[in-house]
Amino acid sequence: MPKEQIGEKVKRVSRMERKSFSPQTDTTKKQLHNGIEIYQNNEGETEFLYNEIFRKEMYFKHGIMLPDHGTVMDVGANIGMFTLYVSSKSNCRVYAFEPLPPTFELLKMNTGSLPRVTTVNAGLSNEIKEAEFAYFPTMSTDSVQIKYRENHDQDLRYGLINHYRDDFADPGMLNRFVDHLMSPRLLNEQIYRCKLTTISEMIRHYALNQIDLLKIDVEKSEFEVLEGILPEDWGKIRQIVMEVHGLDGEQISRLKNIFRTNGFKVSIDYYEDLNIPNYYNVYALNQMQVI
């Protein structure tokens, strides 16, 4: 792609941002390949999520199954792609949690017509509190708690490369395009103070006897979410699937120990498709229950 075409593509992205993320204007709407219509932050991110969740079914490996009926918690729901997947494949009740207000609005728009979906404008953590988040309109899936913001630019870069890699045959051109997108003006980083609660608190609030599938994608806050499960509640959870980022060997061992101590068989896969260092998918099955 010639230099002038890169510049034009950047201009289109910038125009899209001004239109799509201003609170005074409508967000963009897209029809997915399976016919589902979805309101979106940007098309590259939507295509990425659709590919990971609907096409690759990345959350359903190592024995993880979606029951026909049951209860699912979608922690880090973003715009609702996983919730839409669950709702299109089953009659499960879904509780979808998203802390960031702009993303939560899209989540509500995308799932509001689904009677078995409850959306909650809160994140999950190890206690009930508030925390500041860095929100990136062009990369909402990589929005992160402020305390994890340092050194997060590399993750943002990997994410943008994965979202736009199909648009560029030349890796050099792709990297130059991502350089443009990483500028402060285009990243348009915004700070929000968000509510956080715990899984155990939500189990009690919604009077849940069992969670058939707990999905977690919370950008470096994974341990905090797990710490929010009281000992008496681990047995109520049948399956857990989660993405984890930036973990070293010691942290991976710690994660395995948490699951095994609480009666889960755990499998951890390095996610090679994205070419992101220390990026893993975790699949955990409660050995005290028959799935």
Side-chain angles (χ1 to χ4, degrees), residues 54-73:
F54 277 92
R55 285 182 169 159
K56 294 181 181 179
E57 296 186 311
M58 59 174 285
Y59 290 116
F60 297 95
K61 298 179 180 180
H62 296 286
I64 300 292
M65 299 173 62
L66 183 65
D68 291 332
H69 296 81
T71 299
V72 175
M73 272 194 180

Side-chain angles (χ1 to χ4, degrees), residues 41 45 78 98-103 130-153 155-156 187-194 196 218-221:
N41 281 323
E45 187 170 50
N78 196 254
E98 173 55 46
L100 284 156
T103 310
E130 292 186 352
E132 289 189 334
F133 281 73
Y135 167 65
F136 307 98
T138 54
M139 282 290 296
S140 67
T141 54
D142 280 309
S143 299
V144 67
Q145 277 197 63
I146 285 294
K147 66 180 178 180
Y148 300 122
R149 175 64 179 91
E150 188 177 3
N151 301 321
H152 191 59
D153 284 355
D155 288 345
L156 289 169
L187 273 183
N188 190 23
E189 181 176 346
Q190 302 164 27
I191 306 300
Y192 287 89
R193 190 163 186 84
C194 302
L196 300 176
V218 290
E219 296 301 316
K220 302 180 180 178
S221 298

Side-chain angles (χ1 to χ4, degrees), residues 2 12 37 58 118 123 140-141 202 264 275 285:
R12 289 201 301 272
E37 292 188 330
M58 59 174 285
T118 299
S140 67
T141 54
M202 293 297 95
F264 283 75
N275 298 310
L285 298 169

Side-chain angles (χ1 to χ4, degrees), residues 168-176:
F168 295 87
D170 181 357
M173 293 290 187
L174 171 60
N175 278 288
R176 285 193 284 277

Side-chain angles (χ1 to χ4, degrees), residues 14-29:
S14 182
R15 288 195 297 269
M16 177 191 71
E17 288 171 351
R18 288 195 298 272
K19 179 179 179 181
S20 299
F21 306 121
S22 169
Q24 284 77 38
T25 59
D26 294 333
T27 57
T28 57
K29 191 176 185 180

Side-chain angles (χ1 to χ4, degrees), residues 198-217:
T198 71
I199 288 176
S200 285
E201 178 66 21
M202 293 297 95
I203 286 174
R204 263 159 276 299
H205 180 78
Y206 291 108
L208 303 178
N209 295 317
Q210 179 168 287
I211 299 172
D212 295 277
L213 177 60
L214 170 61
K215 168 259 180 184
I216 303 171
D217 183 6

